[in-house]
Amino acid sequence: EQGLSRLAFYLEEKEGRSVSVYQGSCDKLEYFQQAQLFVEGEYEGFCGSVFVENFDESLMREQVDTIKETAIARKKLFVPYEYPLCPETEGDTEWLPLDQMLEKLAAAEKTAYELDKRITTVQRCVCHERKQKVTLLDHQGHSVSDHWAGGNFFLGVSAKQEDQVQLGGKGKAFLLNKEYPDFSKLAEQGAERAVSKLGSGSYRTGNCPVLLEPSVVC
């Protein structure tokens, strides 16, 4: 009714969960959901656009007006997109039940403390999980979507020996359509990293061979 002849949509939907423990108990639990939409429309042969975060229907007239105004202002020709074939994501993308996640994180924290008595504090023991879906579609019914679901675990510790304190940690990213990584094993590696730095010091100036961890090179 407002004179837009063609429309194209880019829709991005996200949801996530962040869980952390401290001293064996849940320290923080956060969920989020977000949807945002980018719309392009053809008006008098030109391409206008609007970015939408509020999907209230009462705002649609204003959003259509924005498409028209940007089309006239920019004078950019409207070019429709081609829609490639995109395979659907396979596998399970469900999060662990919350009680199981808390158990895994608490066990990881405990592993770090038990590795060495010089581990004084587990500062962070957290897992972030996130799902994302992107959909492209137009007024003619063409559509294609892509999914991603993954997470990231991180544990950070401090170790103390006499007056020296060293920090260490270990993180790992993972996909949700596979098994969750062994948090306790990662915690052990992070704690070992902190303890291994205790007693370290400077080295004399000169040319010498140096062995670097992969994480340092990265």
Side-chain angles (χ1 to χ4, degrees):
E1 293 175 354
Q2 295 297 308
L4 300 181
S5 54
R6 290 188 284 189
L7 290 171
F9 304 88
Y10 174 100
L11 175 64
E12 187 174 84
E13 300 167 280
K14 303 175 185 176
E15 60 176 316
R17 180 178 75 173
S18 179
V19 187
S20 64
V21 300
Y22 183 71
Q23 295 184 354
S25 300
C26 182
D27 176 54
K28 182 182 292 186
L29 173 61
E30 295 178 339
Y31 290 93
F32 79 86
Q33 284 186 311
Q34 182 182 29
Q36 37 195 5
L37 178 68
F38 179 72
V39 187
E40 288 187 333
E42 184 180 31
Y43 183 68
E44 297 185 359
F46 300 114
C47 179
S49 61
V50 64
F51 187 73
V52 179
E53 288 184 293
N54 189 335
F55 293 84
D56 190 332
E57 291 188 21
S58 66
L59 301 175
M60 288 185 179
R61 176 62 65 89
E62 177 184 339
Q63 292 158 356
V64 169
D65 287 343
T66 301
I67 294 175
K68 295 163 61 177
E69 291 166 4
T70 54
I72 296 302
R74 291 192 303 219
K75 301 293 185 182
K76 173 187 173 183
L77 293 177
F78 184 96
V79 179
Y81 292 104
E82 294 184 6
Y83 287 79
L85 293 175
C86 185
E88 292 289 331
T89 303
E90 297 180 357
D92 183 18
T93 59
E94 293 301 315
W95 297 328
L96 273 182
L98 181 58
D99 58 342
Q100 294 182 29
M101 173 59 72
L102 290 171
E103 287 177 6
K104 283 176 67 72
L105 291 172
E109 183 187 48
K110 183 179 179 182
T111 297
Y113 277 120
E114 291 179 346
L115 177 83
D116 194 292
K117 63 181 180 181
R118 292 171 291 179
I119 298 293
T120 56
T121 308
V122 176
Q123 295 143 333
R124 293 189 66 198
C125 184
V126 60
C127 183
H128 306 285
E129 297 152 298
R130 177 171 164 177
K131 300 177 187 179
Q132 181 172 333
K133 179 180 180 181
V134 173
T135 303
L136 304 177
L137 62 153
D138 65 16
H139 68 290
Q140 293 182 322
H142 299 125
S143 68
V144 63
S145 64
D146 193 16
H147 306 73
W148 179 87
N152 184 69
F153 166 80
F154 179 77
L155 179 136
V157 304
S158 60
K160 184 175 182 180
Q161 180 174 281
E162 296 177 350
D163 293 332
Q164 187 183 42
V165 176
Q166 294 286 0
L167 303 178
K170 182 69 175 180
K172 184 175 180 63
F174 56 90
L175 296 175
L176 285 181
N177 60 354
K178 298 184 178 181
E179 287 188 14
Y180 278 70
D182 187 337
F183 292 173
S184 293
K185 183 64 176 179
L186 295 170
E188 183 178 304
Q189 294 170 3
E192 287 175 345
R193 183 170 293 174
V195 170
S196 69
K197 298 177 183 178
L198 292 172
S200 61
S202 59
Y203 193 72
R204 66 181 183 272
T205 301
N207 296 322
C208 60
V210 175
L211 185 65
L212 299 176
E213 278 193 51
S215 60
V216 175
V217 178
C218 292

